Amino acid sequence: MNRILMTTATALMAAVMMTSCDKSDNYVAPTPEEPTVQHCVKPDYLKAGDKVALISPSYFTPMENVEKTADVLRGWGLEPVIGPNVGKVVDGRYAGTVAERISDIRWALADPTVKAVICNRGGYGTIQLIDQLTLAELKASPKWLVGFSDISTLHGLMNRAGVMSIHGTMSSFLAKGGTDETSTLMRDLLLGQVPRYELPAHKQNITGQASGMLVGGNLCTFVPNLGSPADATMGRDLILFVEEVEESMHNIDRQMRILQMNGVLDRCKGVILGEFTDCGTEFTYESVEAMLRVMLSDYHIPVLCGFPGGHGYVNLPLVMGANVTIDVREDGATLQFNIDGEHHEVRTADVIAPSTPVTARMRLAGKRE
């Protein structure tokens, strides 16, 4: 009898919770008919004179930075158009209300003359947009979306909708001039010049070769999206990219354990570890990469460490949703995007700016600071 009462109470509680958690009319839950995406379409590369929208889906960016970025885009031969709500500030940080930020995304996607969308900055806020955007509207007009950090949520949405996107630099950095290699490589990628990255050896690498769809981004941004329409990790044959900033080692371990418990690591063919900028050292591990190597070694997949992407001094562009091949060897590694375009070699060791602090250069090589 007690078991019957407990079962009935559990069912009633579940029904109440489902009723109280109703989503908006725009919410599209994962369905058995389309649980995963195994292939993403590539938006058209840009050409001179194409329009590029500048929007702020997360925290606000000073208009001075946005205008400077617009000047950089003009210098690249492109035509910048600034989102109608860019410049607004809500609650001291957000770049407008949820409705205003969604409106700018829809404006950029719906305008057929806009060929790419660059986010002004990350911060926080894109998780508030997940249940306001449908995968259908993201898929309807494929165009490049560029950003990183909190923009990882939008990459998840785009890739889940079946559209490639670019994990790359934003207005908060482009406003500095746009002549550094981080910026120019992103520009070149938008114009169809696809990098093939050659990386130096890293002491925490795990050798091997693998191909799969590149997903991920900022760890603490995309992990909370597991099971949502922004979860691009639900597919098979994944190459997982992870970067983080100002997080403790134990929280990085926690997020990776969540991926592990949800079966994400079981679906990975390989892992790329990017920058772990200003992250904790509360354990005796030599580095975050050394800590993660212990966990990932159980999966017998290649692990490429030290990719200069994320919140570090250099943030090289990555095509999220693309099929990629990683080849990790004792003497170095390569990362290749299996998409059309004019491919060219980029030696990441040569991209590290001479002004980069010695400690950062040592970290990229997996050495002690």
Side-chain angles (χ1 to χ4, degrees), residues 152-185:
S152 297
T153 296
L154 299 186
H155 290 309
L157 280 166
M158 295 293 287
N159 300 162
R160 185 68 184 278
V163 181
M164 296 182 197
S165 56
I166 297 177
H167 182 282
T169 192
M170 301 180 285
S171 291
S172 51
F173 191 88
L174 289 170
K176 297 178 181 179
T179 58
D180 59 282
E181 290 192 79
T182 288
S183 302
T184 56
L185 282 171

Side-chain angles (χ1 to χ4, degrees), residues 187-216:
R187 174 204 64 194
D188 293 345
L189 178 55
L190 285 171
L191 296 172
Q193 298 183 46
V194 183
R196 179 183 182 274
Y197 293 120
E198 293 275 353
L199 295 100
H202 193 290
K203 66 186 299 183
Q204 302 301 341
N205 278 351
I206 298 178
T207 59
Q209 187 179 74
S211 296
M213 189 171 85
L214 184 63
V215 298

Side-chain angles (χ1 to χ4, degrees), residues 74-343:
R74 292 187 190 99
W76 291 352
L78 303 171
E79 182 182 344
V81 285
I82 299 173
N85 292 296
V86 171
K88 293 185 177 180
V89 183
V90 171
D91 298 328
R93 287 288 186 92
Y94 295 118
T97 64
V98 169
E100 288 169 338
R101 286 178 278 143
I102 286 288
S103 175
D104 277 8
I105 293 175
R106 288 203 169 104
W107 159 77
L109 292 175
D111 187 337
T113 67
V114 170
K115 302 303 181 183
V117 183
I118 296 179
C119 299
N120 289 319
R121 70 161 292 184
Y124 176 76
T126 54
I127 196 171
Q128 302 165 342
L129 314 181
I130 293 176
D131 62 353
Q132 303 294 315
L133 290 166
T134 67
L135 300 183
E137 64 185 312
L138 296 173
K139 189 176 183 178
S141 178
K143 56 189 69 178
W144 293 111
L145 181 136
V146 182
F148 73 104
S149 194
D150 192 54
I151 308 305
S152 297
T153 296
L154 299 186
H155 290 309
L157 280 166
M158 295 293 287
N159 300 162
R160 185 68 184 278
V163 181
M164 296 182 197
S165 56
I166 297 177
H167 182 282
T169 192
M170 301 180 285
S171 291
S172 51
F173 191 88
L174 289 170
K176 297 178 181 179
T179 58
D180 59 282
E181 290 192 79
T182 288
S183 302
T184 56
L185 282 171
M186 191 267 284
R187 174 204 64 194
D188 293 345
L189 178 55
L190 285 171
L191 296 172
Q193 298 183 46
V194 183
R196 179 183 182 274
Y197 293 120
E198 293 275 353
L199 295 100
H202 193 290
K203 66 186 299 183
Q204 302 301 341
N205 278 351
I206 298 178
T207 59
Q209 187 179 74
S211 296
M213 189 171 85
L214 184 63
V215 298
N218 181 256
L219 184 65
C220 289
T221 296
F222 76 81
V223 170
N225 298 335
L226 292 183
S228 79
D231 181 9
T233 70
M234 298 178 73
R236 302 180 301 278
D237 299 337
L238 305 175
I239 302 294
L240 182 69
F241 169 67
V242 174
E243 65 87 19
E244 200 38 87
V245 60
E246 295 179 350
E247 285 293 342
S248 62
M249 277 189 169
H250 71 261
N251 197 36
I252 292 171
D253 180 82
R254 176 188 291 121
Q255 303 304 317
M256 293 295 290
R257 299 287 172 184
I258 293 172
L259 292 177
Q260 184 179 56
M261 289 184 287
N262 280 272
V264 175
L265 298 184
D266 291 318
R267 299 193 290 276
C268 287
K269 293 296 185 182
V271 174
I272 300 171
L273 298 182
E275 286 282 272
F276 293 93
T277 308
D278 298 328
C279 289
T281 56
E282 68 268 33
F283 299 131
T284 56
Y285 293 107
E286 183 176 350
S287 61
V288 172
E289 293 89 343
M291 177 181 72
L292 296 182
R293 191 183 196 280
V294 175
M295 174 191 294
L296 295 172
S297 62
D298 291 337
Y299 291 86
H300 306 290
I301 57 177
V303 177
L304 192 164
C305 297
F307 182 83
H311 290 76
Y313 296 94
V314 177
N315 182 18
L316 302 186
L318 294 167
V319 185
M320 310 305 292
N323 181 276
V324 303
T325 297
I326 59 173
D327 182 12
V328 186
R329 310 174 307 276
E330 293 291 344
D331 63 343
T334 59
L335 166 58
Q336 176 176 309
F337 301 97
N338 302 318
I339 59 177
D340 68 83
E342 183 181 339
H343 291 253

